[in-house]
Amino acid sequence: MIYVVIVFLWVALLLYLVMGGADFGAGIIEMFTSNKNKSRTRKIMYNAIGPIWEANHMWLIIAIVILFVGFPVIYATMSTYLHIPLVIMLMGIIARGTALTFRNYDAVHDNMQKVYNKIFVYSSFITPLFLGIIAGSTVSGRVDPLATNFMDAYIYSWLNWFSVAIGFFTVALCGFLAAIYLIGETEDERKRFIRKAKLMNIAAVVAGSVVFVASVKEGIPLVQWVFGSIIGVVAVSAATISLIALWYLIANGKRFIIRVLAGFQVTMILITTTYKHYPNIIILKNGGHLSLIQHQGAEKAIQMLGAALLIGSVFILPALFYLVWSFQYKPEKTEHEGGDEQ
Amino acid sequence: MDNFMAARSQMALSLGFHIIFSCIGMVMPFFMAVSHFLWLRTGNPVYRNVTKAWSKGVAIFFATGAVSGTVLSFELGLLWPTFMKHAGPIFGMPFSLEGTAFFIEAIALGFFLYGWNRFNRWFHWFTGIVVGISGLLSGILVVAANAWMNTPAGFDVVNGKYINIDPIKAMFNPAWFSQALHMSIAAFAATGFAVAGVHALMIMRKQNVGFHAKAFKIAAIFGVTASILQPLSGDISAKMVAKTQPAKLAAMEAHFITRPNTPLIIGGVPDVKNKKVDYAIELPGLLSFMVHDDFKTPVTGLDKIPEKNQPPVAVTHYAFQLMVGLGMLMMALGVLYLVALLKKRSWFDKRWFLKLFIAATPIGFIAVEAGWTVTEVGRQPWIIQGVMRTADAVTPMPGVAYSFYLFTAVYFTLSIVVIFLLYRQIKMVPVIYDKDTPKPVSA
């Protein structure tokens, strides 16, 4: 059962990165959109993401619940040493979640909209930045349970070049995902989002290179992790090939195909970065590891958790699939059944 | 402010904030479903308008409740890592199920909010019902997890190690039922009265009376029914507390000395130093009767509890008195409503009647906060009753006070914004929701 739980944890993280990432990215895209086009971008984004907005964020909750039920020591270590970036990420989550809803549901449209927009855009940037920083910190080997002073224990555990570079890489990835997602939402805006997707893609490649540079500076053997195994090499090659295919298809390909290609790249990236460490999830400063296998919770708890996840997915996945399908592919009813939209 | 106090305050603040939003987010979908049903059956557009107006409120409350709930799932670890290290696998079962319920709620809400004109109208109505049921389920599951902290079950502690873990037994701990029942009914009562109060105000101001009267009636009936049922669940809860947490019950009652014919103490100012309560009304034997079904049997007082295991008496006592008092008020108002409904329909147009409901808008939520204070403060100094002390669970990171200030500022701002948004929703009723009815003549 432990493997079922680990698969769910991984898939929850992946889906949070892909689906949550696309909607973080929507805010990032908005940030880099000229004022002239902003309100149109917002409208397209709202139609594309609104219905699945709340569901996207459930993946994070699922991941965190799996961590604290199944791997309590890992959860406790993360929340102790990465307390500060976690709080900042949470602030971002609060700000985004409320600002988006407020701007959509405020009955009066006036200058308050500007306030909601600002908060939404900034928090869309900060949240994935710190999500990436946290992810980077877990493998950067800076978490130090033996630290005796505040800075070493609670600041340098996450504030280093490597983690911060991963943070920016995550931001660029989210922007890329969102731009790809929005291509094909409207025909007339297609060109604009293609340009955005290309720019974000370049940003991601640049940020990715910076991650490698930072890893060398910090003495983290990232190159070896990525290229030191067959799986890593295959995943990186597959990601590269899919990227070439994506650039080729981006102008005329079906939106479904380019979305799949983008999702595939993110999956490959996550495989590359997690494979080498598996089952170690946190690397400590003294060279020790916190492992998903060694630090799993009580046997019975894992079994029940696995069962709950399996049962839950029977309900969740079909409903989620139908939700996405209905709003993406099912035509709206033409008959007027009563009432306007807003 | 020391670290421990800051961590406790931040937790109290976060839960106190979340509880209001989650109650409304969990109960209002039921109001919505009723009004939606009435529209589908009668075709009266006012019901559709009420449904739409309420759905905007639900969306705002759901979003705020969802983010504050996400924050809480992290805060458990951020503030109490030692607790979570041991408790996570034991009481995690309701949380994993709650994740599922909440996920379904979020999906159903997507269908409901964006699904007007898109689906079969009964399917659309059904998604609204799913929002309500899954919301209620996730509420019950979270409370079951909290109940485990009061009546821990499903594990043994041997030499500081937590072994023989049984997550099912932990979920169905002794207090889960009484606590979940009490909390769910409280959510219905509080939300019912709060929503009814807002609509009563608009009726009194003679604005869109038809619209607000329909909304008022649906909300009031939910609130009234819940408030009349609540004392029953309160009694079940009190008996459970007496059995499993005698120190908490003693603090609730400010009951210092164990004696036969234990009186029920109403009101009063507890004097911890001299172990007595000043200015209280004492009803002899009544507490014995309520707890043991017999007027004679003594109820354990604080004198039987070692001082280091005693909860803060004054806070627990005042919060308990406040909760019960407000509960009684709501029940009285509920009875009055029933009289009006069955015998005196003319009262519905009377200003004094509306004024009573307007005044009652916040009391359900004050009672909820007070009741939650009783549960949590009354358990101190334990985070897991009798097993782990709260002070031993707190994070080693210094400077939690700053995080507490930050969260206070954020939650304060959010509360203001939500009130502001609701005010604007209500103000716009004639423009957005109830545009078919002619505007009122009075200005």
Side-chain angles (χ1 to χ4, degrees), chain B residues 127-297:
Chain B
T127 60
I129 291 279
V130 175
V131 174
I133 291 173
S134 48
L136 188 60
L137 262 179
S138 51
I140 290 172
L141 288 162
V142 166
V143 173
N146 174 266
W148 177 84
M149 296 162 72
N150 289 320
T151 57
F155 68 103
D156 296 308
V157 183
V158 179
N159 298 331
K161 286 216 152 71
Y162 292 63
I163 55 167
N164 298 334
I165 289 171
D166 183 346
I168 302 277
K169 218 168 148 194
M171 180 161 84
F172 295 113
N173 59 76
W176 88 270
F177 178 74
S178 57
Q179 262 192 250
L181 183 71
H182 198 57
M183 184 70 233
S184 308
I185 298 179
F188 274 96
T191 311
F193 277 103
V195 174
V198 171
H199 292 291
L201 178 69
M202 302 314 287
I203 297 169
M204 202 173 77
R205 290 190 176 165
K206 303 226 182 313
Q207 284 169 2
N208 303 74
V209 173
F211 175 94
H212 288 294
K214 288 201 162 33
F216 172 79
K217 190 171 177 186
I218 295 171
I221 286 179
F222 271 103
V224 163
T225 316
S227 72
I228 292 172
L229 292 175
Q230 188 65 314
L232 221 90
S233 85
D235 183 56
I236 300 174
S237 288
K239 285 197 167 73
M240 181 52 72
V241 171
K243 208 161 84 185
T244 54
Q245 296 180 288
K248 183 188 276 184
L249 185 84
M252 280 153 68
E253 281 290 320
H255 165 44
F256 289 102
I257 296 148
T258 312
R259 53 182 156 156
N261 284 314
T262 314
L264 183 72
I265 299 168
I266 298 174
V269 179
D271 179 350
V272 182
K273 217 161 142 198
N274 299 315
K275 302 194 184 308
K276 63 188 178 69
V277 191
D278 301 322
Y279 320 112
I281 305 167
E282 295 198 6
L283 305 173
L286 199 56
L287 190 63
S288 289
F289 177 73
M290 288 170 81
V291 172
H292 298 298
D293 290 324
D294 154 53
F295 286 96
K296 297 238 162 57
T297 321

Side-chain angles (χ1 to χ4, degrees), chain A residues 19-47:
Chain A
M19 301 181 75
D23 81 45
F24 287 133
I28 297 163
I29 296 282
E30 191 176 324
M31 188 180 235
F32 295 106
T33 297
S34 62
N35 282 329
K36 179 169 67 99
N37 292 324
K38 263 199 174 115
S39 75
R40 255 185 309 157
T41 304
R42 268 200 281 277
K43 206 166 157 37
I44 295 166
M45 192 193 97
Y46 173 73
N47 288 331

Side-chain angles (χ1 to χ4, degrees), chain B residues 92-145:
Chain B
M93 188 71 194
F95 282 112
S96 4
L97 295 174
E98 194 259 352
T100 304
F102 196 39
F103 211 136
I104 290 171
E105 190 182 358
I107 294 172
L109 194 71
F111 275 114
F112 185 79
L113 290 178
Y114 295 84
W116 292 92
N117 300 337
R118 248 177 202 277
F119 300 101
N120 171 301
R121 38 164 61 190
W122 285 103
F123 174 78
H124 182 226
W125 175 77
F126 171 74
T127 60
I129 291 279
V130 175
V131 174
I133 291 173
S134 48
L136 188 60
L137 262 179
S138 51
I140 290 172
L141 288 162
V142 166
V143 173

Side-chain angles (χ1 to χ4, degrees), chain A residues 46 50-51 54-55 58-62 64-65 68-69 72-73 75-76 79-80 82-84 86-87 89-91 93-94 97-98 101-102 104-108 110 112 116 150 154 297-298 300-301 304-305 308 312 315-316 319-320 322-323 326-327 330-333 335-342, chain B residues 39 48 52 56 59-60 62-64 66-67 70-71 73-74 76-79 81 84-85 88-89 92-93 95-97 99-100 102-104 106-107 109-111 113-121 123 165-168 395-398 403 406-407 410-411 414 417-418 420-421 424-425 428 432 435:
Chain A
Y46 173 73
E54 294 289 358
M58 294 300 145
W59 297 114
L60 179 66
I61 309 235
I62 301 281
I64 209 71
V65 169
F68 78 57
V69 178
V73 175
Y75 172 78
S79 34
T80 305
L82 302 175
H83 188 120
I84 294 168
L86 279 167
V87 165
M89 184 187 83
L90 287 174
M91 288 294 151
I93 288 176
I94 297 179
T98 49
T101 307
F102 293 172
N104 287 331
Y105 291 102
D106 194 343
V108 183
D110 57 8
M112 277 305 284
Y116 307 140
F150 184 82
Y154 304 108
K300 200 103 181 250
M304 291 297 159
L305 176 63
F315 290 100
I316 291 170
L320 187 63
Y322 184 56
L323 178 73
S326 315
F327 285 95
K330 193 171 180 258
E332 189 159 352
K333 277 193 181 177
E335 87 184 86
H336 204 65
E337 210 174 77
D340 38 40
E341 265 316 296
Q342 277 295 314
Chain B
W39 174 53
R48 180 199 64 210
K52 286 204 168 180
K56 299 294 161 66
I60 292 168
F62 184 88
T64 318
V67 292
T70 309
V71 170
S73 64
F74 281 89
L76 285 170
L78 292 172
L79 301 172
M84 287 308 282
K85 200 150 74 181
M93 188 71 194
F95 282 112
S96 4
L97 295 174
T100 304
F102 196 39
F103 211 136
I104 290 171
I107 294 172
L109 194 71
F111 275 114
L113 290 178
Y114 295 84
W116 292 92
N117 300 337
R118 248 177 202 277
F119 300 101
N120 171 301
R121 38 164 61 190
F123 174 78
I165 289 171
D166 183 346
I168 302 277
T395 176
M397 194 191 84
S403 149
L406 178 69
F407 276 91
V410 168
Y411 283 149
L414 270 183
V417 177
V418 169
F420 169 77
L421 283 170
R424 304 228 281 196
Q425 288 283 348
M428 294 298 278
I432 305 178
K435 32 189 188 224

Side-chain angles (χ1 to χ4, degrees), chain A residues 6-24:
Chain A
I6 292 174
V7 166
F8 268 100
L9 177 64
W10 195 83
V11 170
L13 282 176
L14 176 69
L15 289 175
Y16 187 57
L17 192 60
V18 173
M19 301 181 75
D23 81 45
F24 287 133

Side-chain angles (χ1 to χ4, degrees), chain B residues 30-83:
Chain B
F30 289 100
F31 300 1
M32 222 163 67
V34 169
S35 154
H36 197 170
F37 178 82
L38 291 170
W39 174 53
L40 293 176
R41 286 307 292 267
T42 64
N44 183 345
V46 175
Y47 285 119
R48 180 199 64 210
N49 298 344
V50 170
T51 311
K52 286 204 168 180
W54 274 348
S55 76
K56 299 294 161 66
V58 167
I60 292 168
F61 278 97
F62 184 88
T64 318
V67 292
S68 56
T70 309
V71 170
L72 275 170
S73 64
F74 281 89
E75 271 181 334
L76 285 170
L78 292 172
L79 301 172
W80 316 105
T82 314
F83 165 66

